[in-house]
Amino acid sequence: MNTEVVLEVQGLRAAYGETPILQGVDLTVGKGEIIALIGRNGVGKTTTMRCLIGLLRTRGGSIRLLGHDITSLSSDARARRGIGYVPQGREVFARMTVAENLMVGELVGGRDSKKQPELVYQYFPRLAERRTQLAGTMSGGEQQQLAIGRALVGNPALMLLDEPSEGIQPSIVQLICNVLRTIRKDLGTTILFVEQNLDTILDMGERAYVMEKGRIVGNIDADHMNAASVRSHLMI
Ligand SMILES: Nc1ncnc2c1ncn2[C@@H]1O[C@H](COP(=O)(O)OP(=O)(O)O)[C@@H](O)[C@H]1O
Ligand SMILES: [Mg+2]
């Protein structure tokens, strides 16, 4: 069992305008774990991620990172404290080169990020070949590698990924899963990822939280991470 808790979320609430979306989300992620957050479209997975990185103000509950309450910190401050964020749809800076995108990641992240671009190029050789290419001209899979690299240059303790497999061909998804597992092994990075793709959930996820209507309604422990139980939870 992991004794050190990296992320502890309790009773998290959020809304868009007057519409409540998150209605008390609880989850805990231990050091070095790779955890999936699953659930159908529209249940609040992305909203949860946005609250965790601080892009959406919470209306209740608490978020603790490595024992510190970060609920009221800005997203910049959270990044400096060690959260890396890979948003749904990637959102790389299309008019900047690969190298410039990574530079932005360094500026935002800032935790011992001096040698990190070279490290990113080691994990994703494709990016090394394309350092000077404009990000917007790359394929979806390459942009996803760049979005992960941009988070990685901040040397995050916790990496949040929102549907990393979305719109990407299976062989590249496989590559990305392999690299993320290697990063965890090499650097001890803790990973929480949102996913709907069964193969990706099973490939990386060691445990899973199941979300429905703005709440965690179930979890799948390590002994039950198989296609049948993930499918049954996704079809609630
Ligand atoms: N910017 C927004 N303004 C208003 N409603 C939103 C916004 N973003 C998402 N929603 C709504 O919040 C709910 C949860 O969305 P989201 O967190 O994106 O779900 P998921 O990532 O699980 O598919 C959905 O009903 C969605 O329509
Ligand atoms: Mg989403």
Side-chain angles (χ1 to χ4, degrees):
M1 255 313 267
N2 291 283
T3 47
E4 191 180 350
V5 173
V6 169
L7 178 69
E8 186 170 25
V9 179
Q10 286 179 333
L12 194 67
R13 294 181 170 274
Y16 291 111
E18 295 304 307
T19 312
I21 304 292
L22 301 185
Q23 323 218 28
V25 171
D26 299 307
L27 52 88
T28 303
V29 184
K31 182 161 171 46
E33 284 196 297
I34 305 185
I35 305 295
L37 176 60
I38 69 176
R40 289 175 307 182
N41 265 330
V43 298
K45 304 181 301 296
T46 293
T47 303
T48 302
M49 295 305 233
R50 290 171 55 85
C51 286
L52 294 181
I53 188 62
L55 291 173
L56 184 66
R57 193 168 57 86
T58 57
R59 305 268 179 111
S62 66
I63 305 166
R64 294 176 78 80
L65 177 72
L66 294 164
H68 299 282
D69 192 325
I70 60 162
T71 318
S72 57
L73 296 185
S74 68
S75 57
D76 288 357
R78 293 183 204 200
R80 286 194 299 274
R81 291 235 179 177
I83 304 185
Y85 177 51
V86 182
Q88 185 166 19
R90 309 176 266 281
E91 298 180 18
V92 294
F93 303 108
R95 289 159 183 270
M96 291 186 185
T97 65
V98 166
E100 287 164 348
N101 269 272
L102 294 182
M103 224 180 284
V104 173
E106 278 184 272
L107 291 172
V108 172
R111 281 191 356 147
D112 320 321
S113 54
K114 290 286 171 285
K115 298 207 177 84
Q116 295 288 330
E118 287 312 315
L119 192 65
V120 169
Y121 292 136
Q122 279 172 32
Y123 285 121
F124 296 111
R126 190 77 179 153
L127 297 181
E129 292 165 15
R130 303 195 161 229
R131 289 171 204 240
T132 58
Q133 186 167 336
L134 292 181
T137 64
M138 299 200 301
S139 72
E142 289 164 349
Q143 290 188 21
Q144 188 62 271
Q145 294 171 57
L146 179 56
I148 294 169
R150 186 180 56 184
L152 190 61
V153 285
N155 192 21
L158 171 67
M159 203 131 127
L160 306 173
L161 298 105
D162 196 345
E163 302 219 20
S165 79
E166 197 179 27
I168 295 174
Q169 68 181 76
S171 65
I172 305 296
V173 173
Q174 183 66 59
L175 178 149
I176 287 171
C177 289
N178 289 344
V179 171
L180 286 169
R181 275 193 270 96
T182 306
I183 287 168
R184 188 272 301 270
K185 179 161 67 69
D186 293 351
L187 309 174
T189 313
T190 303
I191 296 175
L192 176 64
F193 70 105
V194 167
E195 194 49 77
Q196 300 206 61
N197 177 299
L198 181 64
D199 291 339
T200 309
I201 293 166
L202 292 176
D203 187 334
M204 284 204 297
E206 295 164 338
R207 294 192 291 124
Y209 285 103
V210 185
M211 200 163 191
E212 180 78 8
K213 293 185 185 155
R215 286 192 180 87
I216 302 298
V217 295
N219 54 74
I220 305 176
D221 64 24
D223 294 338
H224 297 90
M225 279 300 279
N226 55 56
S229 73
V230 170
R231 265 204 206 96
S232 73
H233 276 98
L234 285 175
M235 288 176 185
I236 298 168

